[in-house]
Amino acid sequence: MSEFRGEVSIVLGGAAGQGIQTVEGILTYALKRSGYHVYANKEYMSRVRGGINTTEIRVSSRRVRAFVKRIDILVPFKQGVLSWVSDRLSKETVVLGERENVEEEFLGRVNLVEVPLTKLALETGSQLYINTTAAGLIVGLFHGDFGAVEEYIRKRFGSKGENVVNKNIEAAKKGYELGVRLCEEGTIRVEVGRDEKVREEILLSGTEAVGIGALAGGMNFLSFYPMSPSTGVSTFGAQKAEEFGIIVEQVEDEISAINMALGAWFAGARAMVSTSGGGFALMSEALSLAGMAENPIVIHLAQRPGPATGLPTRTMQGDLNLVLYAGHGDFPRIILAPGSMEEAFYLTAEAFNLADKYQVPVIILTDQYFVDTYYNLPKPELGKVRFEKHIVEAKPGYRRYELTEDGISPRAVPGYGEEVVIANGNEHDEWGDITEDAELTRKMQEKRAVKKLETIRKNAPLPKLFGSENARYLVISWGSTLHTVEEALEELGRDDVALLHFSWVYPLNPETKRFFEGKTVIVVENNVTGQFGDLLKKELGVDVHHRVLKYDGRPFSVEEVFDALKGVVE
């Protein structure tokens, strides 16, 4: 008998087109509604059909939010899955499936529990129902709420007609009954505690958290050119466009996307563009225009491995230097990198206030791992979202680029007030007219690149410390590595190791330096050079003593971070 207590890591594997996402959707929804904490993430090849794609779902009695390497139950839908995940298998792994989907070399090496998924699907009417049958099987192992399975199926397949809905419910029921029977017979035992509060929580992905945050921040214009893994945010916006009264434009390229958004901000709208590294590279000239014209812009960049096309469906934190230095000339920008769904919601909403207030590009950095991750969480508190507008009326004598002590000029929009409002990509005087005056050029350069940057820097929030201020070791995470590092440190169980998480990445408040005094600094990053570690040195003069880096296109697992930290701390 195979027994799992407290938590189960389930991996489903198959080819693109075999309905792995359907299974994932049914399981996470039904198990969350049954009172279980759930976490899910997927990895997929850059192809429409074929290959090997997998989904990991953690089902736990406690809140879980990070990727683990360990596989407790594996459900393969085709041959090749076991070879693909072979480094994640152990003698405790249960392979739940059909013998024909297990490669010869694994027979005898894995704990195979044969289940007739194809037979049950064919009894329902077609092999197409194999994924729904498998979903029912897993829910049955947990004695989950089958009503939630039905509810999801009706919502997912309702547009295809009552017959398709009923057939899928029938297939899921057959799988569910088999899962319950496996437990009753003692083949598999799953003992995971339930939490009634979880039933009413929401399931939110990184994509949705950014999208909802943008809506909460007042976004009313979104322009984009599709590029994985960022496209989901744009399609989310398009789906909500009518309901929230926003304009969503899919344009011919990323250059058009950012220029449209700049024009929208100039006219008084709150606009965002969503892209990935290659798309952002095309935006760099317009980014510089935003810097010179002091025109707000919010950009969501979902990172993937480069250079060039790289690994278009994989993950990496490799674009920090790109967004930090993009654009010709010196001008400030704000870089945010949420590490949780809550941070993605609140930070994205706040990005629009920051852009409006400081009149600079605000860049939200996520990555493929983050946007494709989802888990259950309490509903965000909408009351915490502030909506700040900093537009002024262009009264007589209004100067768009007025020289001020803090580097921030009053921003008006055309049509609001008596004066003409000018935006200029050339060097300009305080009214916005072109100038080549040496003294005025010097003052304008200092206004943008020095005074405004210092104003933003001193108002930047501090990073969040988890653990003791007196800890000997300080582990640094930024963006999507947060929960993985957090869980690894929980397992490490050392009082002398603390975590410092950065979701506001640039510019850094000088006060941040105090966190590092007398500490052994360990930075965890999903890139090959340790870009954030370099930034800490440049901005704060902080020496990084150890760099834990991963750059194979895959996210860190809890086990990898745990092993790396264990090898560093004495």
Side-chain angles (χ1 to χ4, degrees):
M1 180 180 72
S2 297
E3 190 171 344
F4 304 102
R5 293 178 181 272
E7 180 185 315
V8 186
S9 169
I10 302 162
V11 171
L12 308 140
Q18 282 194 295
I20 302 292
Q21 279 188 287
T22 299
V23 186
E24 177 187 326
I26 294 172
L27 289 181
T28 50
Y29 181 82
L31 292 172
K32 195 277 295 183
R33 285 288 305 275
S34 301
Y36 296 107
H37 290 280
V38 295
Y39 156 94
N41 185 263
K42 59 178 69 68
E43 60 99 21
Y44 47 99
M45 292 182 171
S46 180
R47 60 184 72 183
V48 178
R49 285 285 184 271
I52 301 290
N53 295 344
T54 67
T55 284
E56 172 176 283
I57 301 170
R58 291 178 73 184
V59 187
S60 179
S61 55
R62 64 185 179 94
R63 209 172 283 286
V64 285
R65 295 183 160 196
F67 171 70
V68 292
K69 188 176 181 181
R70 182 192 81 249
I71 298 177
D72 296 321
I73 296 175
L74 175 65
V75 183
F77 287 102
K78 63 169 289 188
Q79 277 221 4
V81 172
L82 274 79
S83 298
W84 184 251
V85 298
S86 60
D87 62 329
R88 301 177 61 188
L89 302 176
S90 71
K91 60 182 180 182
E92 283 80 32
T93 302
V94 172
V95 177
L96 207 55
E98 294 162 304
R99 187 186 183 93
E100 66 195 54
N101 290 330
V102 178
E103 297 92 295
E104 200 69 38
E105 63 266 31
F106 288 96
L107 293 173
R109 287 174 51 193
V110 296
N111 185 1
L112 174 62
V113 175
E114 290 192 67
V115 288
L117 294 176
T118 301
K119 179 174 176 288
L120 293 175
L122 290 172
E123 285 175 5
T124 307
S126 168
Q127 192 165 341
L128 290 173
Y129 299 115
I130 192 168
N131 52 0
T132 320
T133 308
L137 170 68
I138 299 297
V139 176
L141 293 177
F142 289 86
H143 292 80
D145 179 359
F146 190 76
V149 176
E150 287 191 47
E151 190 179 324
Y152 183 90
I153 288 173
R154 290 191 184 281
K155 188 176 179 181
R156 171 75 173 77
F157 297 107
S159 63
K160 297 187 177 182
E162 194 63 23
N163 183 56
V164 172
V165 169
N166 290 334
K167 285 291 186 182
N168 274 283
I169 291 173
E170 181 187 339
K173 189 68 174 176
K174 288 180 186 293
Y176 184 89
E177 290 168 349
L178 176 57
V180 170
R181 194 158 64 247
L182 288 173
C183 291
E184 290 173 347
E185 292 170 352
T187 306
I188 298 176
R189 176 176 291 175
V190 174
E191 292 187 13
V192 178
R194 306 191 195 206
D195 183 346
E196 287 301 313
K197 294 177 185 175
V198 172
R199 296 178 191 270
E200 301 308 315
E201 291 188 348
I202 59 172
L203 276 172
L204 203 62
S205 70
T207 290
E208 292 165 331
V210 170
I212 295 169
L215 294 174
M219 178 187 73
N220 49 19
F221 186 92
L222 171 64
S223 50
F224 74 104
Y225 182 80
M227 187 174 190
S228 66
S230 69
T231 311
V233 169
S234 302
T235 54
F236 176 87
Q239 289 162 0
K240 305 297 179 184
E242 188 173 346
E243 182 181 352
F244 287 89
I246 62 176
I247 295 171
V248 178
E249 286 287 337
Q250 179 178 330
V251 297
E252 64 270 26
D253 56 35
E254 289 86 355
I255 299 170
S256 296
I258 190 169
N259 280 308
M260 275 191 177
L262 288 174
W265 273 101
F266 176 66
R270 287 192 152 200
M272 182 171 84
V273 293
S274 187
T275 189
S276 190
F280 184 85
L282 291 172
M283 297 180 180
S284 62
E285 184 181 21
L287 192 77
S288 192
L289 170 61
M292 173 59 85
E294 299 188 57
N295 199 103
I297 184 76
V298 175
I299 302 168
H300 166 243
L301 193 164
Q303 300 167 95
R304 68 193 211 186
T309 306
L311 297 169
T313 63
R314 302 291 174 183
T315 199
M316 201 171 287
Q317 293 179 305
D319 292 342
L320 176 56
N321 284 340
L322 169 67
V323 299
L324 191 59
Y325 300 112
H328 48 291
D330 291 313
F331 59 95
R333 75 281 314 270
I334 294 171
I335 304 171
L336 310 173
S340 67
M341 300 307 146
E342 291 91 342
E343 284 187 348
F345 171 75
Y346 293 118
L347 280 176
T348 304
E350 181 63 11
F352 290 86
N353 292 334
L354 294 169
D356 202 334
K357 179 179 181 179
Y358 295 116
Q359 303 163 39
V360 296
V362 179
I363 300 151
I364 303 158
L365 274 182
T366 62
D367 49 54
Q368 179 272 322
Y369 170 72
F370 186 84
V371 295
D372 285 338
T373 287
Y374 60 99
Y375 44 71
N376 61 285
L377 67 154
K379 292 177 182 177
E381 297 178 39
L382 292 176
K384 285 186 178 180
V385 176
R386 299 171 302 149
F387 188 88
E388 300 174 356
K389 279 214 167 189
H390 299 270
I391 293 171
V392 302
E393 186 179 352
K395 294 179 179 179
Y398 168 73
R399 290 172 288 172
R400 171 63 187 95
Y401 299 108
E402 182 181 340
L403 292 167
T404 60
E405 278 303 307
D406 62 4
I408 301 168
S409 306
R411 184 173 76 95
V413 297
Y416 182 46
E418 300 173 42
E419 285 285 3
V420 174
V421 179
I422 300 174
N424 205 327
N426 289 72
E427 191 56 274
H428 42 257
D429 61 18
E430 291 183 88
W431 284 266
D433 292 320
I434 292 175
T435 184
E436 293 192 27
D437 180 85
E439 179 65 11
L440 193 52
T441 295
R442 182 183 65 78
K443 288 180 178 179
M444 285 293 176
Q445 289 281 349
E446 290 172 356
K447 168 193 181 314
R448 290 186 298 263
V450 180
K451 290 182 178 180
K452 186 187 286 193
L453 180 59
E454 284 308 308
T455 299
I456 299 170
R457 182 175 275 130
K458 72 181 182 183
N459 291 320
L462 297 174
K464 187 174 181 181
L465 181 68
F466 299 80
S468 171
E469 288 186 10
N470 300 317
R472 179 183 172 188
Y473 298 95
L474 191 63
V475 182
I476 309 301
S477 71
W478 68 277
S480 64
T481 59
L482 168 62
H483 291 312
T484 305
V485 177
E486 193 178 15
E487 189 170 332
L489 287 181
E490 285 174 13
E491 288 192 18
L492 197 62
R494 294 273 296 261
D495 293 336
D496 61 345
V497 184
L499 167 62
L500 190 64
H501 171 65
F502 288 80
S503 55
W504 179 294
V505 172
Y506 180 84
L508 297 175
N509 191 317
E511 289 293 312
T512 304
K513 191 168 182 178
R514 66 177 170 82
F515 288 102
F516 296 91
E517 292 170 2
K519 303 286 194 295
T520 298
V521 179
I522 307 162
V523 175
V524 179
E525 295 193 60
N526 225 169
N527 59 59
V528 69
T529 58
Q531 294 179 20
F532 188 68
D534 293 343
L535 181 62
L536 289 175
K537 178 68 174 177
K538 175 180 176 290
E539 288 290 296
L540 303 173
V542 168
D543 289 318
V544 175
H545 303 100
H546 301 279
R547 299 183 189 230
V548 177
L549 306 176
K550 186 174 185 182
Y551 37 87
D552 59 2
R554 276 71 174 170
F556 278 106
S557 68
V558 172
E559 295 94 332
E560 286 171 321
V561 175
F562 174 81
D563 289 341
L565 295 180
K566 196 168 65 170
V568 169
V569 300
E570 295 174 359

